[in-house]
Short mmCIF file of all heavy atoms in Angstrom, two decimals:
data_model
loop_
_atom_site.label_atom_id
_atom_site.label_comp_id
_atom_site.label_asym_id
_atom_site.label_seq_id
_atom_site.Cartn_x
_atom_site.Cartn_y
_atom_site.Cartn_z
N SER A 9 0.81 -1.20 0.00
CA SER A 9 0.00 0.00 0.00
C SER A 9 0.86 1.26 0.00
O SER A 9 0.46 2.30 -0.53
CB SER A 9 -0.93 -0.03 1.21
OG SER A 9 -0.15 -0.06 2.40
N ILE A 10 2.04 1.19 0.58
CA ILE A 10 2.94 2.35 0.59
C ILE A 10 3.49 2.63 -0.80
O ILE A 10 3.58 3.77 -1.25
CB ILE A 10 4.07 2.14 1.61
CG1 ILE A 10 3.51 2.03 3.02
CG2 ILE A 10 5.09 3.26 1.53
CD1 ILE A 10 4.53 1.70 4.07
N LEU A 11 3.92 1.59 -1.55
CA LEU A 11 4.50 1.78 -2.87
C LEU A 11 3.50 2.30 -3.86
O LEU A 11 3.85 2.95 -4.84
CB LEU A 11 5.11 0.47 -3.37
CG LEU A 11 6.35 -0.03 -2.60
CD1 LEU A 11 6.83 -1.36 -3.15
CD2 LEU A 11 7.47 0.99 -2.66
N THR A 12 2.25 1.98 -3.65
CA THR A 12 1.22 2.45 -4.60
C THR A 12 1.04 3.94 -4.51
O THR A 12 0.64 4.59 -5.48
CB THR A 12 -0.11 1.72 -4.34
OG1 THR A 12 -0.47 1.92 -2.98
CG2 THR A 12 0.02 0.25 -4.63
N ASP A 13 1.29 4.55 -3.36
CA ASP A 13 1.10 5.99 -3.21
C ASP A 13 2.31 6.81 -3.70
O ASP A 13 2.22 8.03 -3.84
CB ASP A 13 0.85 6.31 -1.74
CG ASP A 13 -0.44 5.68 -1.22
OD1 ASP A 13 -1.28 5.40 -2.09
OD2 ASP A 13 -0.54 5.47 -0.01
N VAL A 14 3.47 6.18 -3.95
CA VAL A 14 4.67 6.92 -4.40
C VAL A 14 4.58 7.16 -5.90
O VAL A 14 4.37 6.20 -6.67
CB VAL A 14 5.95 6.13 -4.08
CG1 VAL A 14 7.16 6.86 -4.62
CG2 VAL A 14 6.06 5.93 -2.59
N PRO A 15 4.67 8.45 -6.36
CA PRO A 15 4.61 8.71 -7.81
C PRO A 15 5.90 8.27 -8.51
O PRO A 15 6.99 8.24 -7.92
CB PRO A 15 4.42 10.21 -7.86
CG PRO A 15 5.05 10.73 -6.62
CD PRO A 15 4.81 9.69 -5.57
N GLU A 16 5.80 7.94 -9.76
CA GLU A 16 6.98 7.52 -10.55
C GLU A 16 7.84 8.74 -10.86
O GLU A 16 7.31 9.82 -11.13
CB GLU A 16 6.53 6.85 -11.84
CG GLU A 16 5.76 5.55 -11.61
CD GLU A 16 5.34 4.91 -12.91
OE1 GLU A 16 5.66 5.50 -13.99
OE2 GLU A 16 4.75 3.82 -12.86
N PRO A 17 9.14 8.61 -10.85
CA PRO A 17 10.03 9.74 -11.14
C PRO A 17 9.98 10.13 -12.61
O PRO A 17 9.88 9.26 -13.48
CB PRO A 17 11.42 9.24 -10.75
CG PRO A 17 11.32 7.76 -10.86
CD PRO A 17 9.90 7.38 -10.51
N ASP A 18 10.00 11.44 -12.82
CA ASP A 18 9.99 11.96 -14.20
C ASP A 18 11.43 12.35 -14.57
O ASP A 18 11.91 13.45 -14.26
CB ASP A 18 9.06 13.16 -14.28
CG ASP A 18 8.89 13.66 -15.72
OD1 ASP A 18 9.40 12.95 -16.64
OD2 ASP A 18 8.34 14.75 -15.92
N VAL A 19 12.16 11.45 -15.17
CA VAL A 19 13.59 11.65 -15.52
C VAL A 19 13.70 11.78 -17.02
O VAL A 19 13.29 10.85 -17.75
CB VAL A 19 14.47 10.51 -15.01
CG1 VAL A 19 15.93 10.75 -15.40
CG2 VAL A 19 14.34 10.37 -13.50
N ALA A 20 14.19 12.91 -17.49
CA ALA A 20 14.40 13.10 -18.94
C ALA A 20 15.69 12.42 -19.38
O ALA A 20 16.69 12.48 -18.69
CB ALA A 20 14.44 14.59 -19.24
N PRO A 21 15.63 11.80 -20.51
CA PRO A 21 16.88 11.13 -20.98
C PRO A 21 17.98 12.15 -21.32
O PRO A 21 17.70 13.19 -21.93
CB PRO A 21 16.41 10.36 -22.20
CG PRO A 21 15.20 11.08 -22.68
CD PRO A 21 14.52 11.64 -21.46
N VAL A 22 19.18 11.85 -20.91
CA VAL A 22 20.34 12.75 -21.15
C VAL A 22 21.07 12.30 -22.40
O VAL A 22 21.41 11.11 -22.54
CB VAL A 22 21.31 12.74 -19.95
CG1 VAL A 22 22.50 13.66 -20.23
CG2 VAL A 22 20.57 13.17 -18.70
N GLU A 23 21.26 13.23 -23.28
CA GLU A 23 21.94 12.91 -24.56
C GLU A 23 23.45 12.77 -24.29
O GLU A 23 24.09 13.67 -23.75
CB GLU A 23 21.69 14.04 -25.56
CG GLU A 23 22.32 13.74 -26.92
CD GLU A 23 22.05 14.88 -27.90
OE1 GLU A 23 21.37 15.85 -27.50
OE2 GLU A 23 22.53 14.80 -29.04
N SER A 24 23.96 11.65 -24.63
CA SER A 24 25.40 11.40 -24.43
C SER A 24 26.19 11.93 -25.62
O SER A 24 25.83 11.67 -26.77
CB SER A 24 25.69 9.90 -24.26
OG SER A 24 25.28 9.21 -25.41
N LYS A 25 27.24 12.65 -25.31
CA LYS A 25 28.10 13.22 -26.37
C LYS A 25 29.45 12.51 -26.35
O LYS A 25 30.05 12.32 -25.30
CB LYS A 25 28.31 14.72 -26.14
CG LYS A 25 27.00 15.51 -26.24
CD LYS A 25 27.27 16.99 -26.01
CE LYS A 25 25.99 17.80 -26.12
NZ LYS A 25 26.25 19.25 -25.92
N PRO A 26 29.93 12.13 -27.53
CA PRO A 26 31.25 11.45 -27.55
C PRO A 26 32.38 12.43 -27.23
O PRO A 26 32.26 13.64 -27.43
CB PRO A 26 31.35 10.92 -28.97
CG PRO A 26 30.50 11.86 -29.78
CD PRO A 26 29.35 12.25 -28.88
N LEU A 27 33.44 11.87 -26.71
CA LEU A 27 34.62 12.67 -26.37
C LEU A 27 35.40 12.98 -27.63
O LEU A 27 35.88 12.07 -28.33
CB LEU A 27 35.52 11.91 -25.38
CG LEU A 27 36.76 12.63 -24.91
CD1 LEU A 27 36.38 13.88 -24.12
CD2 LEU A 27 37.60 11.70 -24.05
N THR A 28 35.48 14.22 -27.95
CA THR A 28 36.20 14.63 -29.17
C THR A 28 37.27 15.64 -28.80
O THR A 28 37.20 16.32 -27.78
CB THR A 28 35.25 15.25 -30.20
OG1 THR A 28 34.61 16.37 -29.60
CG2 THR A 28 34.22 14.23 -30.65
N VAL A 29 38.26 15.76 -29.69
CA VAL A 29 39.37 16.72 -29.52
C VAL A 29 39.35 17.65 -30.68
O VAL A 29 39.37 17.23 -31.85
CB VAL A 29 40.72 15.99 -29.42
CG1 VAL A 29 41.85 17.00 -29.24
CG2 VAL A 29 40.69 15.01 -28.27
N GLU A 30 39.24 18.92 -30.41
CA GLU A 30 39.24 19.90 -31.48
C GLU A 30 40.66 20.14 -31.98
O GLU A 30 41.64 19.85 -31.33
CB GLU A 30 38.65 21.22 -30.95
CG GLU A 30 37.19 21.10 -30.53
CD GLU A 30 36.66 22.43 -30.03
OE1 GLU A 30 37.48 23.39 -30.01
OE2 GLU A 30 35.47 22.50 -29.68
N SER A 31 40.73 20.65 -33.21
CA SER A 31 42.05 20.99 -33.76
C SER A 31 42.65 22.15 -32.99
O SER A 31 41.97 23.12 -32.69
CB SER A 31 41.90 21.37 -35.24
OG SER A 31 41.06 22.48 -35.38
N GLY A 32 43.87 22.05 -32.70
CA GLY A 32 44.52 23.07 -31.88
C GLY A 32 44.92 22.56 -30.53
O GLY A 32 45.62 23.22 -29.79
N GLY A 33 44.47 21.32 -30.15
CA GLY A 33 44.94 20.70 -28.92
C GLY A 33 44.17 21.11 -27.70
O GLY A 33 44.72 21.02 -26.61
N THR A 34 42.90 21.52 -27.76
CA THR A 34 42.10 21.88 -26.58
C THR A 34 40.93 20.94 -26.47
O THR A 34 40.39 20.46 -27.48
CB THR A 34 41.59 23.32 -26.68
OG1 THR A 34 40.82 23.46 -27.86
CG2 THR A 34 42.76 24.31 -26.72
N TRP A 35 40.55 20.65 -25.21
CA TRP A 35 39.40 19.76 -24.99
C TRP A 35 38.08 20.50 -25.23
O TRP A 35 38.00 21.72 -25.21
CB TRP A 35 39.43 19.22 -23.57
CG TRP A 35 40.59 18.32 -23.30
CD1 TRP A 35 41.76 18.64 -22.69
CD2 TRP A 35 40.69 16.95 -23.68
NE1 TRP A 35 42.60 17.58 -22.63
CE2 TRP A 35 41.96 16.50 -23.24
CE3 TRP A 35 39.84 16.05 -24.32
CZ2 TRP A 35 42.40 15.21 -23.44
CZ3 TRP A 35 40.27 14.77 -24.50
CH2 TRP A 35 41.55 14.35 -24.08
N HIS A 36 37.07 19.70 -25.50
CA HIS A 36 35.73 20.26 -25.74
C HIS A 36 35.25 20.95 -24.48
O HIS A 36 35.45 20.46 -23.38
CB HIS A 36 34.76 19.14 -26.16
CG HIS A 36 33.50 19.69 -26.79
ND1 HIS A 36 32.44 20.09 -26.04
CD2 HIS A 36 33.19 19.89 -28.08
CE1 HIS A 36 31.48 20.51 -26.84
NE2 HIS A 36 31.90 20.39 -28.11
N PRO A 37 34.56 22.11 -24.59
CA PRO A 37 34.12 22.82 -23.39
C PRO A 37 33.20 22.00 -22.52
O PRO A 37 33.19 22.16 -21.30
CB PRO A 37 33.41 24.05 -23.96
CG PRO A 37 34.01 24.24 -25.30
CD PRO A 37 34.33 22.88 -25.82
N ALA A 38 32.43 21.11 -23.10
CA ALA A 38 31.49 20.33 -22.29
C ALA A 38 32.22 19.40 -21.35
O ALA A 38 31.67 19.00 -20.33
CB ALA A 38 30.56 19.54 -23.20
N PHE A 39 33.47 19.03 -21.67
CA PHE A 39 34.22 18.09 -20.83
C PHE A 39 35.50 18.72 -20.31
O PHE A 39 36.45 18.04 -20.01
CB PHE A 39 34.58 16.84 -21.64
CG PHE A 39 33.39 16.13 -22.23
CD1 PHE A 39 32.96 16.42 -23.51
CD2 PHE A 39 32.68 15.22 -21.47
CE1 PHE A 39 31.86 15.78 -24.04
CE2 PHE A 39 31.58 14.56 -22.01
CZ PHE A 39 31.16 14.84 -23.30
N ALA A 40 35.49 20.06 -20.21
CA ALA A 40 36.71 20.73 -19.76
C ALA A 40 36.97 20.47 -18.29
O ALA A 40 38.11 20.45 -17.84
CB ALA A 40 36.60 22.23 -20.00
N ALA A 41 35.91 20.28 -17.50
CA ALA A 41 36.10 20.06 -16.07
C ALA A 41 36.51 18.66 -15.74
O ALA A 41 36.94 18.38 -14.64
CB ALA A 41 34.82 20.43 -15.31
N GLU A 42 36.29 17.73 -16.64
CA GLU A 42 36.61 16.34 -16.38
C GLU A 42 37.94 15.99 -17.01
O GLU A 42 38.27 16.47 -18.10
CB GLU A 42 35.50 15.43 -16.94
CG GLU A 42 34.14 15.69 -16.30
CD GLU A 42 33.08 14.79 -16.89
OE1 GLU A 42 33.47 13.99 -17.78
OE2 GLU A 42 31.93 14.89 -16.49
N PRO A 43 38.72 15.10 -16.41
CA PRO A 43 39.99 14.70 -17.01
C PRO A 43 39.74 13.84 -18.23
O PRO A 43 38.73 13.16 -18.32
CB PRO A 43 40.69 13.92 -15.89
CG PRO A 43 39.58 13.43 -15.05
CD PRO A 43 38.50 14.47 -15.10
N PRO A 44 40.65 13.87 -19.19
CA PRO A 44 40.45 13.04 -20.40
C PRO A 44 40.54 11.57 -20.05
O PRO A 44 41.40 11.15 -19.26
CB PRO A 44 41.60 13.48 -21.30
CG PRO A 44 42.63 14.00 -20.38
CD PRO A 44 41.89 14.62 -19.21
N PRO A 45 39.68 10.77 -20.59
CA PRO A 45 39.73 9.34 -20.30
C PRO A 45 40.91 8.65 -20.92
O PRO A 45 41.34 7.61 -20.47
CB PRO A 45 38.41 8.82 -20.88
CG PRO A 45 38.08 9.78 -21.97
CD PRO A 45 38.58 11.13 -21.52
N SER A 46 41.51 9.21 -21.99
CA SER A 46 42.62 8.57 -22.66
C SER A 46 43.57 9.63 -23.17
O SER A 46 43.14 10.72 -23.56
CB SER A 46 42.13 7.69 -23.82
OG SER A 46 43.21 7.14 -24.52
N LEU A 47 44.85 9.34 -23.15
CA LEU A 47 45.85 10.30 -23.62
C LEU A 47 45.97 10.30 -25.12
O LEU A 47 46.36 11.30 -25.72
CB LEU A 47 47.23 9.98 -23.00
CG LEU A 47 47.28 10.03 -21.48
CD1 LEU A 47 48.68 9.69 -21.01
CD2 LEU A 47 46.83 11.38 -20.97
#
């Protein structure tokens, strides 16, 4: 009876972006805060 009263979460799907390297040797701004997964 408790689970029936809990509403389902509304989670929007997050679009995954591949890790790319721009010309000039700088990381993409979307992943600037995260370390590169591969050298």
Side-chain angles (χ1 to χ4, degrees):
S9 61
I10 297 175
L11 292 178
T12 56
D13 296 337
V14 177
E16 296 181 0
D18 186 8
V19 180
V22 179
E23 182 180 358
S24 60
K25 297 181 179 181
L27 181 64
T28 59
V29 180
E30 297 180 358
S31 60
T34 58
W35 293 99
H36 196 275
F39 303 93
E42 298 179 1
S46 176
L47 300 180

